[in-house]
Amino acid sequence: MCGIVGYVGKNKNALHVLIDGLKALEYRGYDSAGIAVINDDKIKIVKSHGKIKNLEEKLNEVDNSYIGIGHTRWATHGKPTEVNAHPHKAGSVTLVHNGIIENYEELKKDLRKQGYKFKSETDTEIACALIDSIYKTSNNKLLTLKKANEMIKGSFAFGIIFDNDINNIYSMRKDSPLIIALGDNENYIASDVPAILSFTNKYILLDSNEYAVISEDKIDIYDNNLNLINKDIKEYEGTKEVVMKNGYEHFMLKEIHDEPKVIENTFKQFIKNNDINELIDNMPDLSKYDNIDIVACGSAYHAGLIGKSLIEKFADIPVNVELASEYRYKKNFNNEKTLTILVSQSGETADTLAALRKAKQNGTYTLGIINVVGSSIAREADSVLYIKAGCEIAVATTKAYLAQVLILSLITINKAISNNNISKEKAKLILEDLKKLPNMIDDLIKEKEKFEIIAKNIYKDNNIFFIGRGVDYAISMEGSLKLKEISYINSQAYAAGELKHGTISLIENGTPVVAVVTDENIAEKTISNIKETKARGANVILITTQKLNEKYGDSDFYDQKIVIPNISEFFTPILAIVPLQLIAYEVAKLRGENIDQPRNLAKSVTVE
Ligand code: F6R
């Protein structure tokens, strides 16, 4: 999604800060970029279509500056062109914007009547003109921003420079994130922490309906009544390392290699001494709830499906997993006996945030499973369990997904113990397995050659199927999403038993079918379904466990296989996804795709 960076101070050239910051935000996905800086007391705007290097090539048009705002745009309203790129200028106001102005058509009509003419197709240019028009009559900048906030429907984070106030950046936000970062006699704004990590790790989170005036030596923040307020200064725990590839060819590969550590960091929050009582003390008490809704998008939704499978099987609570974009507009059958779990890496996904608010309105208790500390969902949920994935840069999630599944597994184990579905002795063995999990992931990652061979075998295909039953179907869905989003190969996941109700007609000689068979209870049934595809010429790639391989591996129903080590059922889905992530990675690499920033996608989906 779009990215914002702003700088004011004399220690550095604003141009360099803006470009460095925008580059650090490239991972969010964008299709045009622009900057506005003050040169010779006048605002100068440079924009370009495409990548930041196109923008850099045009920067000789401007000189050093001490103040500026920059933006990477991910097109929502209007094509990704230079005219539609930010910053926009109307009258005395220059502005960059993240979010969506929902009532822009209505505002545009009024502004046209006032004589405003628009060059772009964007909602942002309307917001810019609106602020200019209010300012013309109010002549008071903070009152102007407050009035604009009241008139705009939608989400926004703005970085603004007024022509007659060229020493200050103004900011306000509603439902799109914005931070103000603190330097020494210099300050910054940014939509996301990585943008400022080269310069500082101290920052303030601007909240919705707050306004900020930022100069080189002062940051004034006002609440919605325009009273000055004090805000906590936070320190980002990580270093710039997290936004660097550290020698890996792609962030996605680096982040897969981070997985063993992420898993360890995530469970160590709850269990330091391998004592089951620690887990019981640190996990939420589910005994109050009759049912659970898990609401999320994309991979986080797939993590939710694994959670459902585990919770229903071991903790005996019915779980309803919903796509947030659907949940927010449908009738929900929840009440005070429902726990609503929101799963989100970014904590900013617009649909998941809206679902959270809806669940709260309905009076249900909300629990976030979140990566980004201080994100909107983390702040608004009744309680939060953090995954400790660190900054995830590749658009396709890998390590965060694993940690989401781990938290859902730990929630289940805790409830299964309190239900007496598993004894404390059995729980101890499960925790022993948990300790082994990071090394097992590490060993799987080392099987690089196997993934390369499979990738060579399938990368030229146009259609690839993923099949499985039960929890293996949920794993297949994530494997399929990973492959299609980065390789652009059409791939679909099917419940193996469903194939003969239509999809099997698509299987022909050589069609790749990735079959996930890890669940002992249903393995034979899935293997029958695999044989049905094999009989029609499918090229079957089997992902299975050591135990099942010993039982069925000699048979001839597959062409290639990856065998994952035996581990407690609670953690098998975590191991099973690693080969699928790596196969997707190798396929995309062979096809020469932009692995970390797949076309049309954005890292944090802050628009509906
Ligand atoms: C796929 C992927 C997306 C996200 C989805 C939700 O690889 O990354 O499907 O999982 O956009 O994002 P968060 O978890 O930030 O809410």
PDB file of all heavy atoms in Angstrom, residues 298-312:
ATOM      1  N   GLY A 298      -6.740 -13.373   3.792  1.00  0.00           N
ATOM      2  CA  GLY A 298      -5.599 -13.997   3.109  1.00  0.00           C
ATOM      3  C   GLY A 298      -4.955 -15.108   3.921  1.00  0.00           C
ATOM      4  O   GLY A 298      -5.626 -16.010   4.447  1.00  0.00           O
ATOM      5  N   SER A 299      -3.638 -15.028   4.048  1.00  0.00           N
ATOM      6  CA  SER A 299      -2.908 -16.084   4.774  1.00  0.00           C
ATOM      7  C   SER A 299      -3.340 -16.144   6.230  1.00  0.00           C
ATOM      8  O   SER A 299      -3.368 -17.227   6.828  1.00  0.00           O
ATOM      9  CB  SER A 299      -1.404 -15.799   4.718  1.00  0.00           C
ATOM     10  OG  SER A 299      -0.957 -15.918   3.406  1.00  0.00           O
ATOM     11  N   ALA A 300      -3.643 -14.990   6.814  1.00  0.00           N
ATOM     12  CA  ALA A 300      -4.068 -14.973   8.219  1.00  0.00           C
ATOM     13  C   ALA A 300      -5.383 -15.759   8.357  1.00  0.00           C
ATOM     14  O   ALA A 300      -5.624 -16.440   9.362  1.00  0.00           O
ATOM     15  CB  ALA A 300      -4.230 -13.536   8.700  1.00  0.00           C
ATOM     16  N   TYR A 301      -6.223 -15.687   7.321  1.00  0.00           N
ATOM     17  CA  TYR A 301      -7.460 -16.476   7.301  1.00  0.00           C
ATOM     18  C   TYR A 301      -7.118 -17.976   7.248  1.00  0.00           C
ATOM     19  O   TYR A 301      -7.713 -18.794   7.946  1.00  0.00           O
ATOM     20  CB  TYR A 301      -8.285 -16.031   6.080  1.00  0.00           C
ATOM     21  CG  TYR A 301      -9.457 -16.912   5.734  1.00  0.00           C
ATOM     22  CD1 TYR A 301     -10.638 -16.850   6.454  1.00  0.00           C
ATOM     23  CD2 TYR A 301      -9.378 -17.814   4.662  1.00  0.00           C
ATOM     24  CE1 TYR A 301     -11.724 -17.658   6.120  1.00  0.00           C
ATOM     25  CE2 TYR A 301     -10.450 -18.623   4.328  1.00  0.00           C
ATOM     26  CZ  TYR A 301     -11.614 -18.547   5.058  1.00  0.00           C
ATOM     27  OH  TYR A 301     -12.680 -19.351   4.729  1.00  0.00           O
ATOM     28  N   HIS A 302      -6.108 -18.302   6.437  1.00  0.00           N
ATOM     29  CA  HIS A 302      -5.698 -19.709   6.369  1.00  0.00           C
ATOM     30  C   HIS A 302      -5.158 -20.188   7.713  1.00  0.00           C
ATOM     31  O   HIS A 302      -5.379 -21.330   8.103  1.00  0.00           O
ATOM     32  CB  HIS A 302      -4.636 -19.907   5.270  1.00  0.00           C
ATOM     33  CG  HIS A 302      -5.160 -19.609   3.903  1.00  0.00           C
ATOM     34  ND1 HIS A 302      -4.358 -19.223   2.863  1.00  0.00           N
ATOM     35  CD2 HIS A 302      -6.431 -19.608   3.414  1.00  0.00           C
ATOM     36  CE1 HIS A 302      -5.102 -19.016   1.791  1.00  0.00           C
ATOM     37  NE2 HIS A 302      -6.356 -19.237   2.111  1.00  0.00           N
ATOM     38  N   ALA A 303      -4.442 -19.314   8.405  1.00  0.00           N
ATOM     39  CA  ALA A 303      -3.973 -19.673   9.751  1.00  0.00           C
ATOM     40  C   ALA A 303      -5.201 -19.949  10.626  1.00  0.00           C
ATOM     41  O   ALA A 303      -5.223 -20.905  11.420  1.00  0.00           O
ATOM     42  CB  ALA A 303      -3.123 -18.548  10.339  1.00  0.00           C
ATOM     43  N   GLY A 304      -6.233 -19.125  10.472  1.00  0.00           N
ATOM     44  CA  GLY A 304      -7.479 -19.300  11.228  1.00  0.00           C
ATOM     45  C   GLY A 304      -8.112 -20.661  10.950  1.00  0.00           C
ATOM     46  O   GLY A 304      -8.647 -21.307  11.859  1.00  0.00           O
ATOM     47  N   LEU A 305      -8.030 -21.114   9.687  1.00  0.00           N
ATOM     48  CA  LEU A 305      -8.619 -22.421   9.348  1.00  0.00           C
ATOM     49  C   LEU A 305      -7.876 -23.552  10.058  1.00  0.00           C
ATOM     50  O   LEU A 305      -8.478 -24.541  10.483  1.00  0.00           O
ATOM     51  CB  LEU A 305      -8.566 -22.646   7.831  1.00  0.00           C
ATOM     52  CG  LEU A 305      -9.499 -21.753   6.999  1.00  0.00           C
ATOM     53  CD1 LEU A 305      -9.233 -21.967   5.510  1.00  0.00           C
ATOM     54  CD2 LEU A 305     -10.965 -22.039   7.312  1.00  0.00           C
ATOM     55  N   ILE A 306      -6.561 -23.383  10.196  1.00  0.00           N
ATOM     56  CA  ILE A 306      -5.804 -24.402  10.937  1.00  0.00           C
ATOM     57  C   ILE A 306      -6.208 -24.347  12.408  1.00  0.00           C
ATOM     58  O   ILE A 306      -6.418 -25.371  13.057  1.00  0.00           O
ATOM     59  CB  ILE A 306      -4.290 -24.174  10.748  1.00  0.00           C
ATOM     60  CG1 ILE A 306      -4.011 -24.287   9.268  1.00  0.00           C
ATOM     61  CG2 ILE A 306      -3.465 -25.128  11.633  1.00  0.00           C
ATOM     62  CD1 ILE A 306      -2.741 -24.769   8.801  1.00  0.00           C
ATOM     63  N   GLY A 307      -6.375 -23.119  12.914  1.00  0.00           N
ATOM     64  CA  GLY A 307      -6.833 -22.940  14.297  1.00  0.00           C
ATOM     65  C   GLY A 307      -8.157 -23.647  14.511  1.00  0.00           C
ATOM     66  O   GLY A 307      -8.348 -24.368  15.500  1.00  0.00           O
ATOM     67  N   LYS A 308      -9.073 -23.481  13.578  1.00  0.00           N
ATOM     68  CA  LYS A 308     -10.393 -24.132  13.698  1.00  0.00           C
ATOM     69  C   LYS A 308     -10.231 -25.649  13.816  1.00  0.00           C
ATOM     70  O   LYS A 308     -10.810 -26.283  14.692  1.00  0.00           O
ATOM     71  CB  LYS A 308     -11.238 -23.785  12.462  1.00  0.00           C
ATOM     72  CG  LYS A 308     -12.565 -24.538  12.355  1.00  0.00           C
ATOM     73  CD  LYS A 308     -13.259 -24.187  11.032  1.00  0.00           C
ATOM     74  CE  LYS A 308     -14.416 -25.129  10.732  1.00  0.00           C
ATOM     75  NZ  LYS A 308     -15.616 -24.866  11.518  1.00  0.00           N
ATOM     76  N   SER A 309      -9.428 -26.174  12.912  1.00  0.00           N
ATOM     77  CA  SER A 309      -9.242 -27.610  12.883  1.00  0.00           C
ATOM     78  C   SER A 309      -8.706 -28.117  14.231  1.00  0.00           C
ATOM     79  O   SER A 309      -9.203 -29.110  14.779  1.00  0.00           O
ATOM     80  CB  SER A 309      -8.268 -27.884  11.737  1.00  0.00           C
ATOM     81  OG  SER A 309      -8.036 -29.196  11.590  1.00  0.00           O
ATOM     82  N   LEU A 310      -7.719 -27.409  14.778  1.00  0.00           N
ATOM     83  CA  LEU A 310      -7.120 -27.843  16.045  1.00  0.00           C
ATOM     84  C   LEU A 310      -8.079 -27.628  17.221  1.00  0.00           C
ATOM     85  O   LEU A 310      -8.267 -28.513  18.061  1.00  0.00           O
ATOM     86  CB  LEU A 310      -5.809 -27.085  16.302  1.00  0.00           C
ATOM     87  CG  LEU A 310      -4.663 -27.348  15.315  1.00  0.00           C
ATOM     88  CD1 LEU A 310      -3.480 -26.425  15.622  1.00  0.00           C
ATOM     89  CD2 LEU A 310      -4.216 -28.799  15.361  1.00  0.00           C
ATOM     90  N   ILE A 311      -8.683 -26.436  17.274  1.00  0.00           N
ATOM     91  CA  ILE A 311      -9.539 -26.105  18.436  1.00  0.00           C
ATOM     92  C   ILE A 311     -10.742 -27.053  18.494  1.00  0.00           C
ATOM     93  O   ILE A 311     -11.095 -27.578  19.541  1.00  0.00           O
ATOM     94  CB  ILE A 311      -9.995 -24.617  18.393  1.00  0.00           C
ATOM     95  CG1 ILE A 311      -8.790 -23.678  18.509  1.00  0.00           C
ATOM     96  CG2 ILE A 311     -10.997 -24.321  19.512  1.00  0.00           C
ATOM     97  CD1 ILE A 311      -9.088 -22.204  18.235  1.00  0.00           C
ATOM     98  N   GLU A 312     -11.362 -27.278  17.334  1.00  0.00           N
ATOM     99  CA  GLU A 312     -12.549 -28.145  17.355  1.00  0.00           C
ATOM    100  C   GLU A 312     -12.167 -29.569  17.748  1.00  0.00           C
ATOM    101  O   GLU A 312     -12.861 -30.226  18.508  1.00  0.00           O
ATOM    102  CB  GLU A 312     -13.258 -28.113  15.995  1.00  0.00           C
ATOM    103  CG  GLU A 312     -13.950 -26.766  15.777  1.00  0.00           C
ATOM    104  CD  GLU A 312     -14.777 -26.687  14.509  1.00  0.00           C
ATOM    105  OE1 GLU A 312     -14.560 -27.506  13.602  1.00  0.00           O
ATOM    106  OE2 GLU A 312     -15.630 -25.767  14.431  1.00  0.00           O
TER     107      GLU A 312
END
